[in-house]
Amino acid sequence: MLQELFTPSVQHALDLAGIFVFAISGALLAVRKNFDVFGIAVLAEVTGLGGGLFRDLVIGAVPPAAFTDLGYFVMPLVAAVLVFFLHPEVERIQGSVNVFDAAGLGLFAVTGTTKAHEYGLGLTASATLGLATAVGGGVLRDVLANEVPSLLRWDRDLYAVPAIVGATMVVLFIRFDVLNGLTSGIAALTAFLVRLLAMRFHWRAPRAWNRRSAASEPGNEGFGKATA
């Protein structure tokens, strides 16, 4: 099905682009954590390839593409080298990197869901694995860096939700037999735009209503009700 949506060369180029921007975010976090060059490379590889690797292992697409295509493995290293030498410049264009990251999020949510269904998973499981493909690398990055994963933090703009939107649209298109290059592009674009809007307007998921927690908000020692 993936071959019907995109030509192999286009699919490969999109994958590499998504892997690169995800790897940039991993390498930048490694620099902020004062990791050495090996740590920068590891975090770049994990962030760029983690979601796709998890997806392939779950659906039985072995060996995973990350180990059969040299380009997939090398692209995060390119990102790591770039950040190692030019991280102040890369930090200054963080906004642009975030835009490309949002594009990668939408793309991976769509291709992950499609590939999971192609390997025989049901619609719900396919959407779930599409989400894992999109956000898995970031979760592994944060865990290795001893951080609470970003998609679990209330003080971060919506990240998982745009991927869920894209993956859900794909399974609905599959359900009604209208998945093609155009509709898959619409799903990826929708996820991309939702993520951009979340960053622009700081949309966040609500916390527990009438919560009573010892954790205080930054700059606020009191407790309060959940906010969106």
Side-chain angles (χ1 to χ4, degrees):
M1 188 179 294
L2 280 174
Q3 289 76 14
E4 297 174 0
L5 300 179
F6 307 105
T7 65
S9 59
V10 170
Q11 176 65 39
H12 191 254
L14 291 173
D15 282 347
L16 291 179
I19 288 169
F20 180 77
V21 294
F22 283 164
I24 286 285
S25 70
L28 285 173
L29 179 59
V31 170
R32 297 186 193 113
K33 288 285 187 174
N34 204 29
F35 288 5
D36 62 15
V37 63
F38 181 74
I40 294 172
V42 168
L43 234 59
E45 288 283 355
V46 165
T47 311
L49 301 177
L53 180 61
F54 175 77
R55 175 204 62 211
D56 289 349
L57 290 176
V58 169
I59 63 179
V62 292
F67 293 98
T68 58
D69 189 315
L70 185 61
Y72 284 14
F73 183 80
V74 169
M75 189 57 70
L77 296 180
V78 173
V81 170
L82 179 68
V83 170
F84 182 81
F85 287 107
L86 300 173
H87 64 87
E89 288 75 14
V90 176
E91 289 275 15
R92 280 197 288 270
I93 61 169
Q94 182 67 55
S96 299
V97 172
N98 287 340
V99 171
F100 286 109
D101 181 88
L105 182 79
L107 172 68
F108 279 22
V110 169
T111 58
T113 303
T114 305
K115 187 170 183 179
H117 187 264
E118 190 176 54
Y119 273 76
L121 269 65
L123 297 180
T124 301
S126 295
T128 302
L129 207 50
L131 169 63
T133 304
V135 306
V139 171
L140 291 174
R141 172 202 64 206
D142 292 342
V143 169
L144 287 177
N146 198 30
E147 295 249 326
V148 176
S150 295
L151 81 165
L152 300 180
R153 294 180 55 173
W154 70 268
D155 59 340
R156 297 296 174 88
D157 301 332
L158 294 178
Y159 194 78
V161 171
I164 292 172
V165 170
T168 300
M169 290 180 67
V170 171
V171 296
L172 289 175
F173 291 147
I174 292 173
R175 172 66 179 81
F176 293 103
D177 197 26
V178 292
L179 184 67
N180 51 45
L182 176 61
T183 55
S184 63
I186 291 173
L189 179 61
T190 301
F192 171 62
L193 292 176
V194 172
R195 172 59 180 160
L196 289 185
L197 290 171
M199 291 190 294
R200 173 64 178 83
F201 297 106
H202 302 297
W203 291 346
R204 293 167 184 174
R207 291 175 289 165
W209 187 252
N210 289 329
R211 67 188 180 88
R212 293 293 182 268
S213 170
S216 60
E217 300 180 9
N220 183 3
E221 298 301 322
F223 304 125
K225 293 183 179 180
T227 57

